[in-house]
Structure formats: C-alpha cells, structure tokens
Amino acid sequence: MTTTSVSSSQPLRHQLRQQIRHARRQLSPQQQHHAAQQLSQRLQALPQIQHSQHIAIYLANDGEIDPQPFIEWLWQQGKSVYLPVLHPFSKGHLLFLHYAANTPMTTNRYGISEPKLDVRRVKPIAELDAICTPLVAFDSNGQRLGMGGGYYDRTLSQWHQHRQGPYPIGIGHDCQYIPLLPNEKWDVPLPIIITPNHLFTES
Ligand SMILES: Nc1ncnc2c1ncn2[C@@H]1O[C@H](COP(=O)(O)OP(=O)(O)OP(=O)(O)O)[C@@H](O)[C@H]1O
Ligand SMILES: [Mg+2]
C-alpha cells in the first residue's frame, strides 16, 4: 500500500493566507497610500539598501503594500531596479528583469504586471545586491508565508544554505504579522522584515 505524506500544517497555512489576504484588501486607498510612504522612508534609511546598487522588488497586487514610492526614490538615487518575471520554462522559478519607467510590460498568468521577457534585461540572481520580497504573513522569527508557489523559497535557497546571494528584505503591512507561523523545511526565514511601523530583525 502506498501512502502520501501531506504535511498537517497545510490547512492552517491555507486558512492564514485567506485571512490575511482578506485583511490587507480591506485597507482603504488612504491607508495604502500612507503605508507606502512610511515604508519608503524606512527602507531609505536601511544600511543594506544604502549600500546596494542592484535591488529587486515587486509591483503591488492583491492589497500588498505598494513599493512604488520607494521605486521612484531608487530611480532618483541612480540605483537599478529589477522585477520578478515567471520563468518561461523552469516551473516555479523567477527571473529578475531590469525595470525602468519606460520598460514594456505584460500581464502574467496570475494577473500580475511584469516586464516583457527580453534576455538582454535579465539580471542573474547572484548579481543582485538585495531582494525586497512580498509576503502574505510573517512572524517574530522572520518566517514568511507567501502566496504558496514557493517562488521566493527557491530564489533564496542559496541565502538559506550558504548566506550567499542577494540580501533578502521582507516588506508588508503591520496587519500581516502573526506571532508564530507554521513553517515547512523549505521556507526561507528572512533576516529583516519592514512594515510601516516596525522593523523585525533576526536575533
Ligand atoms: N527550494 C525549493 N525547491 C523545490 N521546491 C520548493 C522549494 N521551496 C519551496 N518549494 C515547493 O514550493 C511549494 C510551495 O511552497 P510554500 O507553500 O512555502 O510557498 P510560499 O513560500 O508561500 O510561496 P512564495 O515563495 O512563492 O511566496 C511547496 O510545495 C514546496 O515543496
Ligand atoms: Mg514558503
């Protein structure tokens, strides 16, 4: 007889994703605007950002905190900004493409805006200095729950195993905090998570 091993934390993770995605979608446009400005200020003050030249980030979707004001600041500073693009062949993996105000964009299969694939714009992950990751929930230990695709867990696996590659910075709303998340062995904890009102760092 064969048995399939299904982790018991999956139903709870699913429920938490639903609950927190709902909470962040309830934020008003004014709350979202204010949160985005506060987040930008906090990120600008971060030494890991000040010392970085090549920074990956994302475009807001599904009530996520909006990095746009921060992206504008990065451009003004002459830093290079990159966005995730679903890998066309390698399932579950991301590519990072250079992003400027005039970059041609397209919509991916999750309905998220991403740069149109152009190999000349691809930046190898090892050449990024920092990655600001979206998240659905996070906890006091720096653990992050994402949308469930494992994309950032794969992207950050070198960081997890060898502390190599881009420095990961989680960003989100304060309402996405959960004291203790149910984790799986592949989840990559983040050394720093920033919200409009708090900064969580690894102890
Ligand atoms: N490094 C990895 N290599 C292979 N599979 C992985 C890796 N990391 C995660 N996965 C797989 O991805 C799936 C989804 O993982 P998980 O539920 O942790 O997603 P998530 O962290 O919420 O999503 P994301 O990273 O996209 O925000 C799991 O089935 C897991 O086995
Ligand atoms: Mg994960």
Side-chain angles (χ1 to χ4, degrees), residues 13 17 144-154 186-187:
R13 283 159 72 96
R17 282 190 182 98
R144 98 177 247 292
L145 189 66
M147 292 285 274
Y151 290 98
Y152 282 93
D153 289 321
R154 290 184 188 85
W186 58 79
D187 287 324

Side-chain angles (χ1 to χ4, degrees), residues 134-146:
L135 46 83
V136 172
F138 65 96
D139 73 12
S140 339
N141 299 320
Q143 290 289 354
R144 98 177 247 292
L145 189 66

Side-chain angles (χ1 to χ4, degrees), residues 133-177:
T133 78
L135 46 83
V136 172
F138 65 96
D139 73 12
S140 339
N141 299 320
Q143 290 289 354
R144 98 177 247 292
L145 189 66
M147 292 285 274
Y151 290 98
Y152 282 93
D153 289 321
R154 290 184 188 85
T155 300
L156 299 174
S157 64
Q158 285 301 306
W159 167 267
H160 199 193
Q161 289 167 36
H162 311 294
R163 282 288 188 266
Q164 282 170 3
Y167 187 82
I169 301 167
I171 59 179
H173 292 288
D174 290 280
C175 67
Q176 293 172 248
Y177 172 74

